[in-house]
């Protein structure tokens, strides 16, 4: 009788096991389209066995049925880690491409008003002065065209600067998302630990939610993680502990320095920057991961200008080989810093190169209209080389009261071109004489107001209101038009101007330089596009491989549904059979 009753328990365990398996299968089918859901699998085990007898041949045992060992999620940790790494890299290059696309849009080379047109119009307006520089209409046209050129260049610079600053909002939004994900992971850690504390069930759905959050977090920053014995996951972001068992370390933002409005991500609790360097990034060291770093790398640390581009020293400018070698060593260090800080940032690289073009055009025209001479003066007992207005060869304005030299077309808003001083001039023979000179106010990178840079320049208001002041006449006293001035301005467009950057060996004219600049921007955009597209393909391939394991197959689950339904029916029929046997035994016993 006792054996028969035990048989009922065997059947009951089969019913319960089959029912749980059916519930799990139905749960899989219900979540077939749920993002982040992982297929759950029932692992069935045998219950304990009871020994009935033992002989020299075998041990006779009777089983007590079946049970659920666990309901597990089917995941591949290798695919998870690979997916999260490559998704983060895709986020990095997507942001880089977006920055280059913004620059291309501002330049208007694909649509809108092209800056190339402003450059061509400037050249054309001065070329037409060759025919008659005394024509007031032609003079006014050249001045107005110069104004349009400078305004268009300033507009481009302002749009790029504004875009650079607007990335602050993206940094803030990204940091907020990162913190939100950190809080959710910490909350899920607590819930999972409580749910699994009894060691009976796995919190599979909660784990799926946590894994989905890890996927999302990996697109923003480079992460590493490890699951503890209690089921909680510990996450590090950029090498710093971010989430532990039940809390997370909040990420914050701060200004780069007291003179900047640009933001950087920081760890307030440990007073540390999230990134020690954003300019150095490559795939080999996995330093090109995460859209947050991508934003910082594309943006840079400040608005760059032409002074940020190192210039190779000219050997002829040095008295000795040792002096030249020392200067060249310093130049090599400057190039390394340029590549790490400026060239690595799409925005800063464009700012510096574009400003170098505008600076070159402006100073070339100014130096023809207001030529400088170089001389030596005695200052505080020492010989000092200076630049001063070459009044002997400088052209002058046209008409009564306008016949003065040294009137520039482009002015610095905070610094006049010259200052008048009485100095002790020393000629080549060492003879000292007192002379009154118009000394040129040199450009000083440490003083922005002294630079011919975008944001610091404007058209000379005096020339704008009185075109006769434009110095195009001979200063010999005849008042005649000086054809050599306009010829020099026209010739400068065909002269080699500069290399694009210290990594380039080709020296371009102004027009060639602009073409090279546009090509440089397009080349970077194409590079980032190719990388981003390749990353997208790779991420999709990895995710498809991952889904082949974690995803729910409708056909497979329907097959399981039939299998477990048959198992349930079999257990039910088994119980019915045992029940009939018991009923027969009981009835026969009392009859």
């Amino acid at each position: 009788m006792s054996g028969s009753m035990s048989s009922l328990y065997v059947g009951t365990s089969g019913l319960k096991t089959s029912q749980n398996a059916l519930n799990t299968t139905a749960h899989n089918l219900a979540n077939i389209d749920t993002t982040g859901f992982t297929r759950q699998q029932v692992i069935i085990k045998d219950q304990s066995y009871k020994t009935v007898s033992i002989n020299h041949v075998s041990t006779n045992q009777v089983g007590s049925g079946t049970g659920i060992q666990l309901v597990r999620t089917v995941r591949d940790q290798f695919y998870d880690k690979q997916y999260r790494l490559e998704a983060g890299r895709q986020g990095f290059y997507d942001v880089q491409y977006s920055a280059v696309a913004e620059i291309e849009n501002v330049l208007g080379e694909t649509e809108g008003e092209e800056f190339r047109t402003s450059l061509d119009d400037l050249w054309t307006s001065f070329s037409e002065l060759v025919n008659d520089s005394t024509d007031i209409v032609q003079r006014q046209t050249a001045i107005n065209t110069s104004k349009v050129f400078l305004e268009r260049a300033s507009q481009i610079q302002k749009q790029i600067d504004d875009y650079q600053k607007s990335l602050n909002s993206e940094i803030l939004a990204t940091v907020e998302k990162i913190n939100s994900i950190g809080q959710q992971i910490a909350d899920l850690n607590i819930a999972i630990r409580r749910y699994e504390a009894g060691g009976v069930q796995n919190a599979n759905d909660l784990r799926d939610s946590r894994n989905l959050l890890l996927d999302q977090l990996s697109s923003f920053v480079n992460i590493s993680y490890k699951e503890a014995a209690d089921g909680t996951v510990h996450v590090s972001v950029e090498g710093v502990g971010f989430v532990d068992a039940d809390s997370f370390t909040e990420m914050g933002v701060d200004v780069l320095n007291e003179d900047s409005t640009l933001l950087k991500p920081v760890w307030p609790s440990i007073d540390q920057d999230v990134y020690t360097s954003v300019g150095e990034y490559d795939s080999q060291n996995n330093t090109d991961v995460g859209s947050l770093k991508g934003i910082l790398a594309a943006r840079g640390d400040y608005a760059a200008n032409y002074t940020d581009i190192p210039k190779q020293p000219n050997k002829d400018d040095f008295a000795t080989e040792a002096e030249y070698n020392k200067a060249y060593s310093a130049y090599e260090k400057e190039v390394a810093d340029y590549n790490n800080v400026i060239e690595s940032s799409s925005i800063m690289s464009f700012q510096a190169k574009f400003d170098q073009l505008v600076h070159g055009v402006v100073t070339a025209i100014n130096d023809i209209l207001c030529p400088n001479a170089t001389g030596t003066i005695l200052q505080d007992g020492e010989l000092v080389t200076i630049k001063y207005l070459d009044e002997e060869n400088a052209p002058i304005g046209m008409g009564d009261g306008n016949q003065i030299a040294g009137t520039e077309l482009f002015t610095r808003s905070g610094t006049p071109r010259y200052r008048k001083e009485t100095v002790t001039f020393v000629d080549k023979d060492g003879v000292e004489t007192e002379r009154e000179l118009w000394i040129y106010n040199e450009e000083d990178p440490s003083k922005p107001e002294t630079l011919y840079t975008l944001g610091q320049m404007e058209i000379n208001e005096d020339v704008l209101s009185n075109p006769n002041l434009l110095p195009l006449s001979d200063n010999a006293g005849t008042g005649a038009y000086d054809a050599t001035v306009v010829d020099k301005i026209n010739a400068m467009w065909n002269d080699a101007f500069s290399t694009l950057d210290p990594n380039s060996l080709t020296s371009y004219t102004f027009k060639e330089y602009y073409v090279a600049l546009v090509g440089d921007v397009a080349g970077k955009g194409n590079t980032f596009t190719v990388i981003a597209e390749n990353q997208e393909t790779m991420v999709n391939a990895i995710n498809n491989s991952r889904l082949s394991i974690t995803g729910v197959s409708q056909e497979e689950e329907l097959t399981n549904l039939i299998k477990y339904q048959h198992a349930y029916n079999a257990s039910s029929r088994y119980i019915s059979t045992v029940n009939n046997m018991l009923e027969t035994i009981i009835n026969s016993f009392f009859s």
Side-chain angles (χ1 to χ4, degrees):
M1 178 71 72
S2 61
S4 299
M5 293 300 294
S6 297
S7 297
L8 283 175
Y9 296 133
V10 172
T12 303
S13 69
L15 282 177
K16 290 180 178 179
T17 300
S18 299
Q19 184 62 60
N20 287 335
L22 285 169
N23 292 341
T24 301
T25 303
H27 186 60
N28 285 341
L29 288 170
N31 289 279
I32 195 169
D33 294 322
T34 301
T35 302
F37 179 79
T38 303
R39 176 169 62 97
Q40 297 182 13
Q41 187 179 62
V42 176
I43 305 299
I44 299 175
K45 66 175 181 178
D46 291 341
Q47 297 284 31
S48 61
Y49 285 85
K50 180 181 179 181
T51 300
V52 177
S53 64
I54 301 175
N55 57 42
H56 68 283
V57 177
S58 64
T59 300
N60 296 323
Q61 294 179 316
V62 176
S64 57
T66 63
I68 302 294
Q69 181 175 345
L70 79 156
V71 179
R72 68 176 184 179
T73 55
V74 184
R75 298 190 72 91
D76 189 307
Q77 293 183 4
F78 172 77
Y79 278 138
D80 282 342
K81 289 187 176 181
Q82 192 176 18
Y83 173 84
R84 288 160 186 165
L85 175 63
E86 299 304 334
R89 186 170 285 123
Q90 180 186 351
F92 180 90
Y93 287 104
D94 280 342
V95 171
Q96 295 278 32
Y97 170 70
S98 296
V100 175
E102 182 67 23
I103 295 172
E104 291 177 329
N105 182 56
V106 169
L107 280 176
E109 291 303 318
T110 54
E111 57 183 30
E113 182 185 354
E114 300 178 6
F115 181 72
R116 187 199 308 263
T117 303
S118 301
L119 199 61
D120 289 339
D121 289 346
L122 183 63
W123 174 79
T124 301
S125 66
F126 277 97
S127 297
E128 292 177 351
L129 284 171
V130 172
N131 300 323
D132 185 6
S133 69
T134 61
D135 186 340
I136 197 67
V137 175
Q138 293 292 350
R139 281 172 167 258
Q140 190 68 62
T141 298
I143 295 168
N144 289 340
T145 305
S146 300
K147 183 180 180 182
V148 171
F149 165 79
L150 190 57
E151 286 176 345
R152 177 67 178 127
S154 297
Q155 182 186 30
I156 290 174
Q157 178 249 9
K158 184 178 184 303
Q159 286 179 286
I160 296 297
D161 288 356
D162 289 346
Y163 174 67
Q164 186 181 39
K165 294 173 183 175
S166 73
L167 292 178
N168 278 346
S169 60
E170 290 194 30
I171 293 172
L172 283 169
T174 303
V175 169
E176 287 178 0
K177 290 176 183 176
I178 291 170
N179 286 333
S180 175
I181 291 173
Q183 181 65 68
Q184 292 178 70
I185 293 176
D187 292 342
L188 285 170
N189 274 346
I190 296 171
I192 290 170
R193 184 172 58 190
R194 289 176 178 171
Y195 193 89
E196 297 180 350
V200 178
Q201 291 180 306
N202 286 339
N204 292 329
D205 288 346
L206 296 179
R207 286 173 173 270
D208 286 344
S209 298
R210 189 173 67 184
N211 277 310
L212 183 59
L213 289 171
L214 288 173
D215 287 348
Q216 295 171 359
L217 183 63
S218 68
S219 69
F220 299 129
V221 285
N222 192 2
I223 67 171
S224 59
Y225 52 92
K226 183 177 182 180
E227 184 172 328
D230 61 357
T232 60
V233 68
H234 296 244
V235 184
S236 292
V237 168
E238 303 296 340
V240 174
F242 181 54
V243 179
D244 57 20
D246 52 11
S247 63
F248 81 104
T249 301
E250 187 171 6
M251 184 184 293
V253 294
D254 195 5
V255 292
L256 286 169
N257 53 67
E258 59 183 11
D259 298 323
S260 176
T261 60
L262 300 181
L263 300 178
K264 63 179 178 180
V266 297
W267 300 111
S269 61
I270 58 176
D271 192 24
Q272 179 179 313
D273 291 350
V274 174
Y275 300 100
T276 55
S277 174
V278 295
E280 298 176 349
Y281 52 84
D282 60 71
S283 299
Q284 185 175 358
N285 297 316
N286 292 331
T287 52
D288 58 345
V289 178
S291 60
L292 180 59
K293 186 173 184 179
I295 295 171
L296 297 171
R299 184 201 67 184
D301 292 344
Y302 58 89
N305 60 36
Y306 73 93
T307 64
D308 292 299
I309 302 178
K311 293 298 180 182
Q312 184 172 341
N314 187 344
K315 198 169 186 177
D316 295 336
D317 295 336
F318 297 89
T320 65
E321 185 78 16
E323 290 179 350
Y324 170 74
N325 290 337
K326 183 178 179 181
Y328 193 82
S329 296
Y331 165 74
E332 289 182 318
K333 183 181 183 304
E334 290 175 355
V335 172
D337 292 340
Y338 169 85
N339 289 330
N340 183 39
V341 177
I342 307 298
E343 190 61 30
S344 63
S345 164
S346 301
I347 293 176
M348 291 182 70
S349 173
F350 174 78
Q351 287 172 326
K353 293 170 184 176
F354 183 69
D355 195 54
Q356 180 172 249
L357 170 63
V358 177
H359 174 268
V361 171
V362 165
T363 54
I365 292 175
N366 274 354
D367 289 346
I368 293 172
L369 298 177
C370 308
N372 291 325
T374 303
T376 304
I377 64 172
L378 195 62
Q379 191 176 78
D380 298 329
E382 294 184 2
L383 294 178
V384 178
T385 300
I386 63 165
K387 290 181 181 179
Y388 59 95
L389 176 63
D390 186 3
E391 296 183 75
E392 182 178 345
N393 298 306
I396 60 175
M398 178 183 69
D400 294 340
N402 299 316
Q403 296 176 332
I404 55 175
T407 303
E408 61 182 354
L409 178 58
F410 300 94
T411 64
R412 295 167 284 188
S413 56
T415 305
R417 184 172 179 85
Y418 299 106
R419 65 183 186 275
K420 196 170 187 179
E421 288 187 14
T422 301
V423 297
T424 302
F425 190 85
V426 183
D427 64 18
K428 61 181 180 179
D429 297 323
V431 178
E432 300 178 8
T433 56
E434 292 291 323
R435 291 181 58 180
E436 192 174 60
L437 299 177
W438 288 97
I439 298 176
Y440 175 69
N441 289 314
E442 296 278 5
E443 295 181 81
D444 184 352
S446 66
K447 299 177 180 178
E449 69 276 6
T450 67
L451 302 178
Y452 286 98
T453 183
L454 288 168
Q456 297 291 338
M457 284 190 298
E458 57 191 13
I459 295 295
N460 190 327
E461 289 293 336
D462 294 333
V463 174
L464 193 61
S465 60
N466 184 3
N468 289 329
L469 286 173
L470 194 65
L472 297 174
S473 299
D474 195 303
N475 66 2
T478 63
Y481 149 58
D482 190 349
T484 61
V485 177
V486 177
D487 288 341
K488 287 178 182 178
I489 293 177
N490 289 330
M492 81 177 197
W493 296 98
N494 299 317
D495 293 338
F497 154 57
S498 173
T499 60
L500 192 62
D501 56 47
N503 302 308
S504 173
L505 298 177
T506 305
S507 188
Y508 302 103
T509 64
F510 291 116
K511 293 182 180 180
E512 291 171 343
Y513 181 96
Y514 181 71
V515 172
L517 175 58
V518 173
D520 180 63
V521 173
K524 286 183 177 179
N526 182 65
T527 299
F528 291 140
T529 301
V530 170
I531 295 175
E533 289 177 349
N534 288 341
Q535 282 300 128
E536 183 178 11
T537 301
M538 183 183 300
V539 168
N540 288 337
I542 295 171
N543 195 41
N544 288 336
S545 298
R546 188 171 68 157
L547 288 175
S548 68
I549 297 173
T550 65
V552 178
S553 169
Q554 186 173 9
E555 291 77 10
E556 183 179 353
E557 296 304 323
L558 289 174
T559 300
N560 287 337
L561 197 65
I562 295 171
K563 178 177 69 175
Y564 295 131
Q565 183 64 53
H566 282 318
Y568 184 90
N569 292 337
S571 295
S572 178
R573 292 181 65 183
Y574 174 81
I575 291 174
S576 296
T577 300
V578 172
N579 182 62
N580 291 334
M581 290 173 58
L582 286 172
E583 184 179 357
T584 300
I585 292 172
I586 293 171
N587 290 335
S588 63
F589 180 78
F590 289 103
S591 60

